[in-house]
Amino acid sequence: MDTLFAPVALTHRDLEPYRFWIWLQVVALRLYVRAVRGKGVIFSVLIDRHGNVELNWIGKPPEALTPDPLSFTPSKAYQAALTGPEPAHPGASRDLLQIAALPQHCSASTLHIITRHPLPLPDT
């Protein structure tokens, strides 16, 4: 017997009266896959609780696919440096009040120079 007309196993018992119509949809999808990809290609179908049959995947299953070697996933430090609430460089999180409170030996003119020119961003 050809696998084209193989019976379908139903997981929902309430779909038993509609077994023929579900089987007919699966046969139509099998014919479609054979027309597009040829005989012997593996594929998966999904049957929902209403009896609708959908094509899930054709070819290799999703878990058999290898990850893309050129994909880039930024590290946590890289993401924190660009978008995080806390900067990666510890000196960049200081605000002007902390700078004014830290140096006890600085004069008013030195404090004015510090507050006028912001700290440079760190090299990452």
Side-chain angles (χ1 to χ4, degrees):
M1 181 176 170
D2 192 14
T3 57
L4 177 66
F5 300 109
V8 177
L10 294 178
T11 57
H12 303 290
R13 293 291 166 208
D14 54 341
L15 294 176
E16 200 63 42
Y18 309 107
R19 177 183 285 275
F20 174 74
W21 301 111
I22 294 170
W23 173 80
L24 195 61
Q25 292 179 56
V26 172
V27 168
L29 281 175
R30 288 177 184 160
L31 283 171
Y32 171 74
V33 170
R34 284 187 179 186
V36 172
R37 297 286 179 103
K39 187 174 180 178
V41 175
I42 59 172
F43 65 96
S44 172
V45 294
L46 294 175
I47 303 171
D48 64 2
R49 60 186 180 122
H50 300 292
N52 300 323
V53 179
E54 297 177 359
L55 190 58
N56 190 13
W57 48 263
I58 299 176
K60 295 182 181 179
E63 53 272 357
L65 297 175
T66 58
D68 184 17
L70 300 177
S71 67
F72 174 70
T73 305
S75 65
K76 289 182 182 179
Y78 182 78
Q79 290 176 353
L82 292 181
T83 61
E86 292 293 324
H89 190 270
S93 65
R94 298 179 187 161
D95 60 350
L96 297 178
L97 295 177
Q98 290 176 341
I99 292 173
L102 285 178
Q104 297 295 328
H105 63 289
C106 290
S107 64
S109 62
T110 309
L111 185 61
H112 178 68
I113 293 171
I114 291 174
T115 57
R116 189 171 46 153
H117 300 291
L119 294 174
L121 294 176
D123 294 333
T124 55

